[in-house]
Amino acid sequence: MGAASSSYHPRTLYLSVDGKMQKVIFSQHCSQYDIRELLCSSSNIPRNTAISLVDSEGAMVPIYPAMPTNTPNCLYKVVPQSAGQAGDKEDMFQNVLTQVADQFSRAFRINELKTEVTNRMAMLEKRVELEGLKVLEIEKCKNDLRRLRDEMTSRGGGRMNCACKYNFSDDGKKLSPRRDVPSYPKYTLSQETIEALKKPTFDVWHWEHNEMLSCLEYMYHDLGLVKEFSINPITLKRWLLNIQENYRENPFHNFRHCFCVSQIMYGMINLCNLQEKLSMTDISILMTAAVCHDLDHPGYNNTYQINARTELAVRYNDISPLENHHCAVAFQILSQPECNIFANIEPEVFKQIRQAIITLILATDMARHGEILDLFKNKVDNFDFTNEEHIKCLKMVLIKCCDISNEVRPTEVAEPWVDYLLEEYFMQSDREKSEGLPVAPFMDRDKVTKPTAQIGFIKFVLIPMFETVMKLFPQIEEMMVQPLRDSRDHYEELKQQNDDAMTEAQVKKTDSMPLGGKKK
């Protein structure tokens, strides 16, 4: 009884209801839906009403089992959302999309109307903002509009117009901020969330885009980068929002992947005590490169870009076309004064930061994996934290670790990423087959399985790299290296089960054949 009792930790919230304090107690095992019903009931609000929870300063408090608690001196308030307004907004939202779809279909029939469609889309986007839709509705509308644009581009005819190619005459359109002042809500992060952010066990699947933006914003403040570089907090919010808008809705290379890489980088900075060993400039380079490392990724890798002779491959002479493009988009965003988080530093320092970020993002090209790891191996046994070349090499290896770090996470967090990566691979290989281009076996849906895809990658890429870093930072063994070994064992066991099942099926098939059909 003692053990069971100690494991139960009820959470208590204090609400302001009709000028009186109301105490609400719930278990951490409650679902988000249960908590919302409890808050409605405690505030004399009908059960199915859409609600928001705000603190005494008006900041939104996310509603989930590990949400931050308060005290009787700082009461929360449950605010119902008007159903009538929501219905009006939904009608307006559907009307907007209907008009866009109509303009979109006309563009396929008459090429001369393409410019009109583009202008109409811009007007509709402005109307959505002016009508004051909720943040999540705005995000959904923007995503739908983005998909319409990508589909229009992909159907425009000709190879050079497909969705995985780039029309650089339109560079500035996507990069322009959609809002003058970022309006994603301010979230109060609980101490539990703050501690979880520093660990690879953080579950990245429970967070919406706005919440991930708030977590990234918190990291920049917590690491002291906002203070060190005199970053305007509003500029930081606007920069992060613009970063998010310039990640595409790919199965794998999307904004959630950006957040994963940045969160692992933040975790490694804390786990390895890098703030005691590196300068604040180095810390800013590591975090900013992680945030920007896959900007505007089209979902088709460098091999496809080069074989298909896309405009990207031509522009960058077949040399890391995607990574060069990620860098270019990152600094196009920073070139806008309203998004320049480095506006208040000396030009020479910015030049140093820019060059280092480019170096790190280019290092994420897996074609250079062996070269960079060998360079680090030659330095790790006599590593010198005062040597600039040693530090440069370490930073390249750190961003590589973060970029491909999914398997250091718990199985239930890591495994969905394998499915999404294979989905992206299969999209590419299907396209390569249709265009008569070479297809890599590990991307071919007819040749690859989840276990075979992961075992070699974990054994020959991930474990050797993380074990090399472990020589310099032994503290990562428990949190990162051992999970990789466990993941390798998991997939090897899964492969064995699959092989046994196939063997058994083959035996049954042979045994069921007529005697005359058996080979002698």
Side-chain angles (χ1 to χ4, degrees), residues 220-284:
Y220 270 75
H221 281 278
D222 183 58
L223 291 171
L225 300 178
V226 174
K227 182 177 180 181
E228 176 72 17
F229 297 101
S230 302
I231 301 174
N232 184 323
I234 295 298
T235 302
L236 176 63
K237 289 171 72 75
R238 188 181 290 113
W239 175 71
L240 287 170
L241 186 64
N242 216 341
I243 290 290
Q244 183 241 310
E245 289 179 340
N246 281 280
Y247 273 90
R248 300 197 191 189
E249 296 294 322
N250 300 312
F252 183 92
H253 291 98
N254 49 40
F255 178 66
R256 193 175 300 276
H257 168 67
C258 152
F259 176 73
C260 283
V261 175
S262 305
Q263 185 263 319
I264 285 287
M265 180 66 79
Y266 175 70
M268 291 194 80
I269 290 170
N270 283 279
L271 184 60
C272 301
N273 299 315
L274 292 181
Q275 286 179 294
E276 298 178 5
K277 299 175 173 64
L278 303 180
S279 68
M280 289 295 285
T281 298
D282 287 326
I283 298 297
S284 73

Side-chain angles (χ1 to χ4, degrees), residues 146-161:
R146 191 176 299 142
R147 279 193 291 271
L148 283 175
R149 280 203 183 94
D150 288 343
E151 189 174 348
M152 174 184 280
T153 305
S154 67
R155 296 185 183 180
R159 266 198 169 192
M160 297 307 289
N161 289 327

Side-chain angles (χ1 to χ4, degrees), residues 271-272 466 469-470 473-481:
L271 184 60
C272 301
F466 275 85
V469 175
M470 187 177 71
F473 303 109
Q475 57 267 48
I476 74 168
E477 180 170 18
E478 180 184 354
M479 296 291 288
M480 294 183 163
V481 178

